[in-house]
Amino acid sequence: KEDGWRPRIFCSSLKRARQTLEAMRRGAPPTSFPVWIEDESFWPELREIDLYEWQGRLQHEVFVEDAMKAKQWSESPWELRLGNGRRVLGDLWGRAHEVWHRLLSAVEDKTHAEEHGPSIIVTHRSFSEALLSVALGLPEQAFRHFRLNNCEAVEVWFKDPQDSSKGGFGEILWRRRYPKEGPWHTAKQEREVLQNTPPQPLGVLEKLRAAGL
């Protein structure tokens, strides 16, 4: 620990997320993280989207053998039901809500804030987009709104995120940080963009890789 700052890590328990965390640990500049990780939390809830009977299948198999549901996944994923009738995005958003409030409880602890400062969350693309959407107060229709890439890093800054006088979201900003840094955006801006931009179906090439199977 240097200058009283040591990041707190929250990581998906899946192997590929752990491997990403290890790569981050090895590549972190010593001046940025003199003592990289002493306090890790591996959460199963930070896992990737649950695709039930599609899980483990090849992408082209899904789009050929389950064409009707694949079309729904492309055009209106918030309506897609798998796993004996479970709404895929309903489950994803529900889990993202639980994780967001659990994270807030952890990072708002005064001892944590004084000893750790900012926190680092290592998770997966679809869950990252859902978690960011939930933090900004966006509905399931925001799925794919952010179009995050694998290994992309975003930064979220917030103040009084559970302040009921501000709609339950307080003051929250976000921006892309890696591999290219972008400008800050507000929750209000994202809600306005989402309202004014109809959901776009997946392109042909995206269909073959977006399910994350």
Side-chain angles (χ1 to χ4, degrees):
K1 183 166 65 174
E2 185 174 289
D3 296 330
W5 188 82
R6 176 168 55 89
R8 175 90 178 263
I9 305 298
F10 303 95
C11 182
S12 163
S13 58
L14 294 184
K15 181 178 178 180
R16 59 185 182 272
R18 289 172 175 262
Q19 291 172 333
T20 300
L21 177 58
E22 285 301 317
M24 294 168 61
R25 190 201 309 258
R26 292 192 302 268
T31 54
S32 297
F33 300 100
V35 176
W36 174 232
I37 299 172
E38 295 178 8
D39 189 4
E40 296 176 353
S41 294
F42 292 98
W43 293 2
E45 296 83 359
L46 287 169
R47 68 187 181 276
E48 182 56 291
I49 185 173
D50 293 318
L51 291 169
Y52 304 104
E53 63 264 32
W54 284 4
Q55 205 74 31
R57 296 173 63 186
L58 297 175
Q59 290 99 324
H60 71 270
E61 291 177 351
V62 170
F63 286 101
V64 170
E65 299 172 8
D66 208 351
M68 184 175 296
K69 287 186 177 180
K71 184 176 186 293
Q72 196 171 47
W73 170 256
S74 169
E75 298 177 356
S76 53
W78 49 89
E79 297 177 351
L80 177 65
R81 292 180 180 269
L82 296 173
N84 295 320
R86 299 190 66 87
R87 282 201 316 110
V88 172
L89 292 195
D91 286 352
L92 181 67
W93 248 249
R95 180 154 52 89
H97 273 282
E98 292 176 3
V99 168
W100 176 241
H101 289 292
R102 184 178 172 187
L103 288 168
L104 292 181
S105 296
V107 303
E108 287 183 339
D109 178 82
K110 290 184 178 180
T111 301
H112 170 276
E114 293 172 358
E115 293 185 359
H116 297 280
S119 298
I120 296 174
I121 303 168
V122 183
T123 182
H124 310 268
R125 183 172 64 183
S126 293
F127 189 77
S128 295
E129 295 178 352
L131 187 61
L132 181 58
S133 297
V134 165
L136 297 171
L138 303 180
E140 296 168 18
Q141 285 72 15
F143 187 62
R144 304 193 186 108
H145 171 68
F146 296 104
R147 303 278 179 162
L148 301 180
N149 294 312
N150 289 331
C151 293
E152 183 169 5
V154 302
E155 180 179 5
V156 177
W157 177 92
F158 56 85
K159 179 181 179 181
D160 301 326
Q162 300 188 80
D163 187 343
S164 60
S165 68
K166 300 176 181 177
F169 301 104
E171 185 177 359
I172 299 181
L173 305 173
W174 85 280
R175 63 175 173 174
R176 299 177 189 269
R177 285 299 305 268
Y178 178 87
K180 185 178 180 180
E181 187 170 309
W184 288 103
H185 300 278
T186 67
K188 180 180 179 181
Q189 288 173 329
E190 297 299 347
R191 288 194 291 268
E192 290 176 348
V193 170
L194 187 63
Q195 290 172 357
N196 296 324
T197 305
Q200 299 297 314
L202 289 177
V204 174
L205 294 178
E206 286 182 293
K207 288 179 182 179
L208 298 178
R209 65 180 179 86
L213 305 182

